[in-house]
């Protein structure tokens, strides 16, 4: 698992796409790319969250505007399923 962090617009997505392509196509390692953008709360949930007094929570990207449990669930499922279908000694 590789994690990448950086400010908006710095090229994280571009770098990850290139890295994924190289790992898949040249090195033979299957990859799965996931972004925090895939885990934001729904618009309705963000509006509901902002009703507590902080209108900034209506916008994506701020701490608290994405679901924290779902990304962990996805990682666990990917690891468990990957270990079951590939003999990697997991």
């Amino acid at each position: 698992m590789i994690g990448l962090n950086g400010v908006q617009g710095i090229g994280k997505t571009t770098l990850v796409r290139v890295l994924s392509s190289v790992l898949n196509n040249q090195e033979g390692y299957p990859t799965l790319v996931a972004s925090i953008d895939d885990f934001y709360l729904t618009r309705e949930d963000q509006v509901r969250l902002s009703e507590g007094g902080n209108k900034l929570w209506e916008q994506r990207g701020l701490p608290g505007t994405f679901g924290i449990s779902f990304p962990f669930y996805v990682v666990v499922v990917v690891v468990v399923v990957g270990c079951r279908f590939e003999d990697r000694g997991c």
Side-chain angles (χ1 to χ4, degrees), residues 46-47 49-50 54-60 62-65:
Q46 285 182 241
V47 168
L49 184 63
S50 74
N54 189 343
K55 293 294 181 185
L56 291 175
W57 278 343
E58 287 184 17
Q59 307 301 317
R60 288 180 13 163
L62 295 173
T65 59

Side-chain angles (χ1 to χ4, degrees), residues 17-86:
R17 285 181 183 152
V18 170
L19 180 60
S20 176
S21 177
V22 168
L23 288 172
N24 278 318
N25 301 323
Q26 295 179 18
E27 301 298 327
Y29 292 106
T31 62
L32 172 68
V33 175
S35 169
I36 192 68
D37 293 340
D38 300 325
F39 301 107
Y40 279 108
L41 297 174
T42 64
R43 176 76 179 131
E44 294 79 23
D45 287 341
Q46 285 182 241
V47 168
R48 193 173 318 120
L49 184 63
S50 74
E51 290 171 357
N54 189 343
K55 293 294 181 185
L56 291 175
W57 278 343
E58 287 184 17
Q59 307 301 317
R60 288 180 13 163
L62 295 173
T65 59
F66 60 93
I68 193 66
S69 59
F70 188 61
F72 287 114
Y73 172 78
V74 169
V75 168
V76 168
V77 168
V78 167
V79 169
V80 169
V81 170
C83 289
R84 286 188 182 158
F85 290 105
E86 295 185 31

